[in-house]
Amino acid sequence: MSEEHFKHILSHSKEYGFVFQSSEIYDGLAAVYDYGQNGVALKNNIREYWWKSMVQLHENIVGIDAAIFMHPKTWKASGHVDGFNDPMIDNKDSKKRYRADVLIEEHIEKYVQKIEKEVAKGKKRFGEDFDEEQFRTTNPNVQRNAKKVKEINSKLREAMDDGDLDDLKELIEELGIADPISGSKNWTDVRQFNLMYSTQMSATDGENEIYLRPETAQGIFVNYLNVQKTGRMKLPFGIAQTGKAFRNEIVARQFIMRMKEFEQMEMQFFVQPGSEMEWFKYWKEERMKWHKNLGIEESKYRYHDHVKLAHYANAAVDIEFQFPFGFKEVEGIHSRTDFDLSQHQEFSGKKLQYFDPEKNQNYVPYVVETSIGLDRMFLVLMSNSLQHEDLGDGQSRTLLRLPAALAPFQCAILPLTKKDGLAEMGLKIFNELKLDFNCYYEDKDSIGKRYRRQDAIGTPICITVDHDSLDNDDVTIRFRDSMEQKRVKISELSTIIAREVSMKELLRKLN
Ligand code: GAP
């Protein structure tokens, strides 16, 4: 995958109504995006796949929908007011603000690109005899650049882990990093920058400063006892939630990978203290299963275990996907101990305990959380599915090989022509199938063009109504991936589509 592929995802997302820049007619708003007609359908399907896999498939997980606004003390208790920061640096000449660590990462990427260029040159030179692994371990230019990458990475990690802002500034200067826009090296010191957005809420005693939630998790923690009591939940049990979160990220050029307004799908699993490692291992494996169930090549996923842990965690792992710009986090699984509930207990003065009837004891449960970004998952699917296929004879097609159940439309009904009663028959089929599936109907343009458009938005099955359909009550169905076509009875359509593309079949494989 490459920069080229990333650009293709961006242009395809816009051209086919998946993702638009927010307020585009006003030149857009940095790192904020809108989902178009096909994007929202794909996003809803991803959310549904997640929600059903959590809430519907587990007898001990329930869902909630907490408000975005929360009492300001929530964020004091959770540690976000004091510690939810990124290191930022300003360029004194251009007045532009950057994340200090990202500037260094982008510098590292230049060496990575040099390595890849050298490898590509080698491939071209040696053709079929090229042994990539040997080349990477012996070529002096590759070796020199790889050493540089390792050295800078290790200094960056150390400075970040220690929260040493002076070291970050020193590294930027040592590497001679210039402002990507102006070329100036005239930098301010590195400072911590809180990522929460705040606004004012009127109250009887004046205005209160409140925050837009930077994660959905706290809405679950503060409702732990409400749900446990009203749902008569017994440990272990989970609370799931999807919803918007807001972070004032200092970013550029990352599309929906890192946004200021994004959506999370989080589940907090409350367990007996002492059993958290067992559950951490369980959810680490379960969540990877959920990803792989989508048919994505195994090698594109990997775990990244956290070595240095946040003060409240006793284990943490990321599930990373190989995006066009490298392996990056899609989801985090964290064993958060009793940190959050204990903090809320302390700050609210209300007990948040569980009475364990077997132990005849009250205690604060421990929590294992799974947290995935919906927009990032959307980007996983776009990155993995967008393909350009050479069909021979100078013909090609662009297609989105999305998991069939998640595609914006499960099928398209395409009468060959509007005339001769074909449109009426097509609409009759549409009106029947639409009760179970998201269907597309179109009776304009050549059938070839219509097939290409459906390929480009990922529709797994096209149903063509022709003149023979009128006499025989049958239609041609065409499969997106193989382009195979076959004749089937109209009465069989519902069963065939359900077997090929339904969410139920996708969930069954997780069961
Ligand atoms: N409650 C835990 C938590 O919020 P996190 O690692 O900060 O953990 C979880 O976020 C997930 O949310 C990430 O793995 C990522 O998929 C997504 N995410 C975080 N920040 C994001 C952003 N600015 N834009 C898009 N997705 C983001």
Side-chain angles (χ1 to χ4, degrees):
M1 293 212 253
S2 62
E3 180 82 359
E4 209 49 39
H5 184 54
F6 189 46
K7 279 193 194 146
H8 190 196
I9 294 166
L10 261 69
S11 59
H12 192 88
S13 295
K14 180 169 180 200
E15 191 181 344
Y16 286 93
F18 282 90
V19 183
F20 305 125
Q21 217 185 349
S22 160
S23 339
E24 197 189 66
I25 59 168
Y26 293 105
D27 297 330
L29 192 61
V32 185
Y33 291 90
D34 297 338
Y35 287 84
Q37 66 280 19
N38 291 319
V40 72
L42 172 57
K43 198 175 167 203
N44 285 344
N45 291 341
I46 301 171
R47 193 192 296 107
E48 186 187 341
Y49 172 50
W50 183 87
W51 184 266
K52 289 194 162 167
S53 73
M54 285 293 179
V55 178
Q56 196 170 312
L57 296 195
H58 291 92
E59 75 290 356
N60 60 349
I61 298 181
V62 293
I64 63 161
D65 183 20
I68 287 171
F69 291 137
M70 297 183 72
H71 194 286
K73 272 196 195 164
T74 308
W75 307 109
K76 201 68 195 153
S78 67
H80 284 80
V81 171
D82 297 321
F84 194 49
N85 301 318
D86 271 344
M88 65 153 197
I89 189 164
D90 290 288
N91 188 277
K92 289 184 193 162
D93 297 324
S94 72
K95 311 278 182 250
K96 293 270 176 215
R97 175 167 293 173
Y98 299 94
R99 251 176 75 175
D101 54 331
V102 171
L103 279 179
I104 298 167
E105 277 171 2
E106 284 179 353
H107 188 81
I108 294 173
E109 187 56 30
K110 287 186 189 154
Y111 290 104
V112 173
Q113 289 308 325
K114 279 185 192 170
I115 296 173
E116 295 312 313
K117 244 191 195 153
E118 199 69 37
V119 172
K121 253 174 31 195
K123 251 185 207 157
K124 209 165 161 191
R125 187 161 9 118
F126 296 112
E128 289 210 333
D129 298 334
F130 185 61
D131 180 340
E132 185 171 330
E133 204 179 316
Q134 193 194 9
F135 188 85
R136 282 185 189 272
T137 44
T138 53
N139 178 283
N141 289 340
V142 171
Q143 293 270 287
R144 196 180 50 254
N145 287 318
K147 189 166 165 236
K148 205 86 195 142
V149 169
K150 207 169 156 200
E151 271 170 18
I152 307 172
N153 245 327
S154 122
K155 284 187 187 169
L156 172 62
R157 286 296 126 230
E158 203 177 314
M160 288 298 284
D161 288 346
D162 297 346
D164 194 325
L165 305 182
D166 292 340
D167 274 7
L168 280 178
K169 167 92 187 272
E170 227 172 75
L171 191 53
I172 287 173
E173 282 175 344
E174 183 189 316
L175 297 170
I177 295 176
D179 181 327
I181 295 172
S182 67
S184 153
K185 294 181 187 173
N186 193 6
W187 296 108
T188 62
D189 285 341
V190 178
R191 276 166 296 156
Q192 290 292 16
F193 178 79
N194 194 284
L195 297 185
M196 282 200 295
Y197 285 105
S198 68
T199 184
Q200 304 299 316
M201 186 175 267
S202 307
T204 42
D205 56 349
E207 294 274 296
N208 279 336
E209 185 184 32
I210 57 161
Y211 300 97
L212 296 186
R213 68 180 177 200
E215 62 170 12
T216 55
Q218 299 303 325
I220 291 180
F221 290 125
V222 300
N223 277 299
Y224 152 74
L225 208 55
N226 284 336
V227 175
Q228 192 270 320
K229 289 229 179 300
T230 56
R232 293 178 297 117
M233 309 300 289
K234 301 259 173 296
L235 289 192
F237 75 92
I239 305 179
Q241 174 170 223
T242 70
K244 286 281 175 99
F246 304 83
R247 294 182 188 177
N248 197 359
E249 307 266 12
I250 315 159
V251 277
R253 303 184 304 275
Q254 291 204 6
F255 193 39
I256 55 173
M257 184 71 194
R258 199 170 285 283
M259 301 155 88
K260 296 184 185 228
E261 174 182 339
F262 59 100
E263 193 163 335
Q264 290 187 312
M265 306 191 286
E266 298 198 293
M267 194 278 295
Q268 326 300 132
F269 201 67
F270 299 90
V271 304
Q272 250 183 38
S275 68
E276 72 276 12
M277 282 310 163
E278 185 192 315
W279 286 110
F280 175 74
K281 188 170 171 280
Y282 172 83
W283 283 110
K284 178 176 168 178
E285 284 163 15
E286 275 302 288
R287 293 306 303 147
M288 189 59 109
K289 240 199 254 169
W290 182 91
H291 285 273
K292 293 194 173 159
N293 192 40
L294 293 171
I296 297 173
E297 216 178 284
E298 301 233 342
S299 62
K300 290 190 181 166
Y301 273 109
R302 72 178 189 198
Y303 288 119
H304 169 73
D305 287 297
H306 289 208
V307 181
K308 184 133 186 166
L309 295 167
H311 61 281
Y312 52 78
N314 61 5
V317 65
D318 293 338
I319 293 181
E320 294 186 338
F321 174 78
Q322 190 176 25
F323 288 99
F325 36 82
F327 273 99
K328 298 275 179 225
E329 173 190 344
V330 187
E331 173 155 9
I333 296 113
H334 316 119
S335 174
R336 296 180 72 123
T337 66
D338 60 354
F339 174 79
D340 303 87
L341 289 181
S342 298
Q343 287 288 104
H344 287 305
Q345 226 178 211
E346 192 185 323
F347 279 73
S348 68
K350 310 267 164 40
K351 284 227 173 317
L352 293 175
Q353 296 193 337
Y354 176 74
F355 175 72
D356 189 327
E358 276 160 36
K359 294 189 167 171
N360 197 23
Q361 208 183 9
N362 280 304
Y363 52 79
V364 177
Y366 270 38
V367 172
V368 175
E369 95 175 336
T370 73
S371 176
I372 175 170
L374 176 49
D375 312 271
R376 246 178 232 191
M377 192 58 210
F378 187 102
L379 191 55
V380 165
L381 290 172
M382 291 302 273
S383 307
N384 192 62
S385 308
L386 183 60
Q387 295 175 9
H388 195 73
E389 205 174 74
D390 193 347
L391 302 173
D393 293 336
Q395 304 260 30
S396 67
R397 64 169 182 157
T398 296
L399 80 161
L400 267 185
R401 269 187 211 272
L402 290 169
L406 304 191
F409 297 96
Q410 276 65 63
C411 64
I413 295 117
L414 313 171
L416 264 192
T417 160
K418 251 183 172 162
K419 291 184 273 182
D420 307 328
L422 297 191
E424 285 77 2
M425 189 167 203
L427 282 169
K428 198 168 158 226
I429 297 174
F430 173 82
N431 283 328
E432 188 52 39
L433 293 178
K434 75 182 184 189
L435 298 173
D436 285 317
F437 309 104
N438 206 12
C439 307
Y440 192 96
Y441 176 86
E442 193 176 40
D443 54 22
K444 287 187 282 295
D445 279 342
S446 76
I447 193 70
K449 267 194 193 156
R450 282 185 270 163
Y451 282 158
R452 290 291 171 271
R453 276 203 294 270
Q454 294 305 317
D455 285 345
I457 62 170
T459 311
I461 290 177
C462 287
I463 299 165
T464 314
V465 182
D466 57 24
H467 289 90
D468 289 339
S469 306
L470 298 172
D471 299 328
N472 304 331
D473 270 337
D474 60 5
V475 287
T476 299
I477 59 171
R478 171 202 184 258
F479 294 95
R480 177 195 68 200
D481 296 351
S482 60
M483 291 195 291
E484 183 206 336
Q485 301 194 7
K486 64 180 183 191
R487 202 75 190 166
V488 303
K489 287 286 175 206
I490 293 172
S491 57
E492 294 170 340
L493 277 174
S494 190
T495 316
I496 296 174
I497 300 172
R499 192 178 59 227
E500 299 284 337
V501 310
S502 69
M503 181 73 75
K504 183 174 172 183
E505 292 308 311
L506 192 61
L507 292 171
R508 194 191 296 284
K509 290 192 272 161
L510 281 180
N511 208 2

